């Protein structure tokens, strides 16, 4: 289903913050006449994967589909694909023309054709097997365009015309763009969208926002605002870390070695950092690393009394419900089970004599089971550990 409300909400939110959106790169889930009209009215450039077969896209397919396939004249630079472009009105209700690029990916097309043929032959075999068992042959809706049921025999067979039509368009897809870009530029931008999605997936997990669960809308916005700011800081650290041949994670570890200690009521720079760390601080702050850390210590001293942060020992807090003190009665928590030295009575609650669990004392199992078979000792059979004799 096409649902462009999320896109509109984000664009309106960014504009309310004074941020102008230059353009968007969207998948086929946003390919809709209303969404394109909204972007056009906002004067926002767009590059969208085409969904279905709008009239304008059909015209391009009819004109170029047979011409571009494995034709080096239409080879896209630095790719293994072929493409053609034309300016058309993608939807009849639009009043302007956009650039529609028709791509043919023969690698993807070959894989999809192979998958289609395997499914088709399996479905035909399944349908004909049903006839042999006295049932009516049925074909799934997804394969009804490539399989036909013979009205005379009721058996399933290949619909050659439908199969040929399906094969002809495997590996084809279209992208509509509001700007006049080359096929190479269109492909490069759309591939970048996949890269940004992968990067976002990794970044949000690193920042602790991999799972949101249920929150109020303002809370969700705040979490993503924090993640946005944090990702910018992380990016700056990553760029600075490159100058010392380190990754962002290693750069953060270098910064973590820099300590400002609270001694005798004053904050003092401990000077425990490495040369790489000082270089990193200088790249991030624009000042000498040691001087910058001394400035931090002076600033903390100007604020007056500051809390001393201590690392708490691992384990349960003393006043927590699962500690050794009972919250309600303030009594030492006791181990579950009977008290030490306690003995059960000789009689049950109903007055019967209490018996020990298990077989009676002195009882022995008989030589035979209830079914008359000879009782055998538990465990492996004799000679079971030896190799079988051929």
């Amino acid at each position: 289903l096409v649902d462009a409300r999320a896109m509109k909400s984000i664009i309106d939110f960014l504009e309310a913050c004074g941020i102008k959106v230059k353009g968007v790169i969207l998948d086929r889930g946003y390919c809709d006449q209303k969404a394109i009209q909204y972007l056009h009215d906002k004067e926002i450039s767009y590059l969208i994967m085409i969904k279905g077969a709008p009239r304008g896209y059909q015209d391009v397919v009819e004109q170029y589909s047979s011409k571009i396939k494995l034709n080096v004249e239409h080879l896209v630079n630095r790719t293994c694909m072929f493409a053609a472009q034309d300016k058309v009105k993608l939807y009849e209700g639009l009043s302007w023309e956009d650039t529609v690029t028709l791509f043919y990916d023969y690698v993807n097309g070959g894989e999809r054709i192979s998958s289609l043929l395997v499914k088709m032959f399996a479905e035909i075999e399944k349908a004909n097997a049903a006839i042999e068992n006295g049932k009516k042959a049925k074909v799934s809706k997804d394969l009804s365009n490539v399989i036909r049921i013979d009205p005379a025999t009721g058996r399933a067979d290949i619909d050659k015309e439908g199969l040929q039509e399906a094969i002809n368009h495997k590996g084809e897809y279209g992208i509509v763009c509001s700007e006049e870009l080359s096929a190479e530029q269109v492909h490069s931008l759309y591939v970048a969208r996949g890269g940004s999605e992968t990067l976002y997936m990794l970044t949000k997990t690193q920042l602790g926002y991999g799972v949101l669960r249920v929150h109020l809308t303002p809370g969700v916005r705040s979490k993503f605002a924090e993640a946005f700011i944090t990702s910018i800081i992380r990016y700056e650290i990553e760029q600075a870390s490159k100058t010392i041949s380190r990754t962002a994670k290693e750069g953060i570890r270098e910064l973590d070695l820099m300590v400002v200690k609270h001694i005798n009521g004053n904050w003092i720079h401990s000077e425990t950092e490495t040369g790489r760390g000082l270089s990193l601080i200088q790249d991030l702050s624009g000042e000498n690393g040691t001087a910058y850390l001394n400035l931090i210590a002076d600033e903390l001293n100007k604020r007056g009394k500051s809390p001393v942060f201590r690392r708490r020992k691992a384990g349960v807090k003393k006043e927590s419900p699962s500690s050794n003190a009972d919250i309600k009665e303030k009594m030492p928590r006791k181990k579950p089970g009977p008290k030490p030295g306690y003995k059960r009575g000789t009689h049950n609650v109903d007055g019967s004599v209490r018996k020990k669990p298990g077989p009676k004392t002195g009882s022995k199992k008989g030589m035979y089971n209830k079914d008359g078979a000879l009782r055998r000792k538990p465990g492996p059979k004799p000679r079971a550990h030896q190799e079988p004799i051929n």
Side-chain angles (χ1 to χ4, degrees):
L1 295 175
V2 175
D3 188 357
R5 289 178 296 178
M7 174 193 69
K8 183 178 182 302
S9 175
I10 292 171
I11 292 175
D12 292 344
F13 175 74
L14 291 174
E15 288 186 348
C17 297
I19 301 173
K20 173 64 177 175
V21 178
K22 182 178 181 180
V24 293
I25 305 173
L26 306 169
D27 66 6
R28 54 172 52 89
Y30 291 89
C31 187
D32 176 69
Q33 182 174 331
K34 292 182 180 179
I36 293 176
Q37 185 71 56
Y38 168 80
L39 294 169
H40 180 78
D41 294 342
K42 286 279 189 179
E43 297 183 351
I44 297 175
S45 300
Y46 51 85
L47 189 148
I48 311 173
M49 175 77 76
I50 297 174
K51 179 181 181 180
R55 181 57 183 272
Y57 177 62
Q58 285 182 345
D59 294 341
V60 177
V61 171
E62 291 174 3
Q63 183 175 356
Y64 295 103
S65 179
S66 59
K67 296 179 181 178
I68 65 175
K69 291 183 178 178
L70 302 179
N71 185 344
V72 295
E73 295 294 332
H74 293 273
L75 180 65
V76 180
N77 190 29
R78 295 189 294 181
T79 71
C80 299
M81 297 190 300
F82 304 85
Q85 293 180 309
D86 204 352
K87 294 205 52 129
V88 296
K89 287 197 299 182
L90 187 63
Y91 295 98
E92 294 182 357
L94 301 180
S95 59
W96 68 91
E97 293 184 338
D98 287 320
T99 301
V100 171
T101 307
L102 175 65
F103 288 95
Y104 172 64
D105 185 344
Y106 74 94
V107 175
N108 176 268
E111 292 175 352
R112 295 177 64 188
I113 289 172
S114 299
S115 177
L116 173 63
L117 294 177
V118 170
K119 291 179 181 178
M120 181 190 70
F121 288 127
E123 189 75 4
I124 291 174
E125 186 176 349
K126 179 181 176 181
N128 291 334
I131 294 176
E132 295 175 0
N133 293 328
K135 299 179 181 179
K136 186 178 180 181
K138 294 182 180 180
V139 178
S140 65
K141 186 177 180 181
D142 296 338
L143 298 171
S144 59
N145 61 324
V146 296
I147 300 176
R148 66 181 182 87
I149 303 295
D150 192 334
T153 62
R155 294 182 65 82
D157 198 2
I158 300 174
D159 185 342
K160 294 184 179 180
E161 292 183 2
L163 179 60
Q164 188 64 58
E165 181 69 17
I167 288 176
N168 287 343
H169 297 292
K170 292 295 183 186
E172 288 184 350
Y173 63 92
I175 294 179
V176 60
C177 184
S178 59
E179 298 183 1
E180 294 186 9
L181 302 178
S182 66
E184 180 186 355
Q185 291 172 318
V186 170
H187 172 72
S188 177
L189 283 172
Y190 193 77
V191 170
R193 171 193 161 275
S196 67
E197 283 195 345
T198 302
L199 181 61
Y200 171 71
M201 178 185 67
L202 296 173
T203 302
K204 72 175 184 178
T205 303
Q206 292 170 343
L207 298 177
Y209 298 101
V211 179
L212 278 177
R213 294 189 175 88
V214 179
H215 298 274
L216 296 175
T217 300
V220 174
R221 288 185 180 274
S222 298
K223 287 176 73 70
F224 275 99
E226 292 171 7
F228 180 67
I229 295 169
T230 310
S231 64
I232 293 174
I233 296 173
R234 185 183 177 86
Y235 174 77
E236 293 296 335
I237 294 175
E238 182 178 9
Q239 295 304 305
S241 299
K242 289 181 179 179
T243 61
I244 59 173
S245 302
R246 293 292 185 273
T247 63
K249 186 175 181 179
E250 292 169 332
I252 292 171
R253 191 179 295 119
E254 291 286 347
L255 294 174
D256 196 40
L257 295 174
M258 303 175 189
V259 181
V260 179
K261 291 186 175 182
H262 193 251
I263 302 175
N264 296 329
N266 292 316
W267 290 95
I268 300 172
H269 170 216
S270 63
E271 299 186 5
T272 56
E273 65 281 342
T274 62
R276 292 190 301 268
L278 290 173
S279 175
L280 191 60
I281 279 284
Q282 187 166 356
D283 286 341
L284 291 170
S285 65
E287 299 184 20
N288 178 271
T290 303
Y292 188 74
L293 291 168
N294 286 325
L295 286 174
I296 294 176
D298 293 340
E299 178 63 27
L300 289 172
N301 289 323
K302 289 178 183 177
R303 295 180 185 180
K305 187 176 180 180
S306 301
V308 179
F309 300 101
R310 296 186 177 91
R311 187 181 297 277
R312 187 176 66 84
K313 292 182 179 180
V316 182
K317 293 182 180 179
K318 291 183 179 180
E319 298 300 325
S320 68
S322 58
S323 66
N324 291 329
D326 190 280
I327 298 300
K328 294 181 179 179
E329 301 178 0
K330 296 297 181 181
M331 297 291 290
R333 188 178 296 278
K334 299 176 181 179
K335 294 182 178 180
K339 298 179 180 179
Y342 171 79
K343 293 184 179 181
R344 294 180 183 271
T346 57
H347 290 75
N348 297 320
V349 178
D350 58 359
S352 60
V353 179
R354 185 184 299 280
K355 298 178 181 179
K356 291 183 178 181
K360 296 180 181 180
T361 305
S363 65
K364 294 183 178 180
K365 293 186 178 181
M367 296 178 60
Y368 298 94
N369 298 321
K370 291 181 179 181
D371 58 359
L374 182 65
R375 186 184 299 279
R376 296 181 180 179
K377 292 182 180 180
K381 295 179 182 180
R383 300 174 60 88
H385 64 283
Q386 298 182 6
E387 296 292 333
I389 300 174
N390 296 328

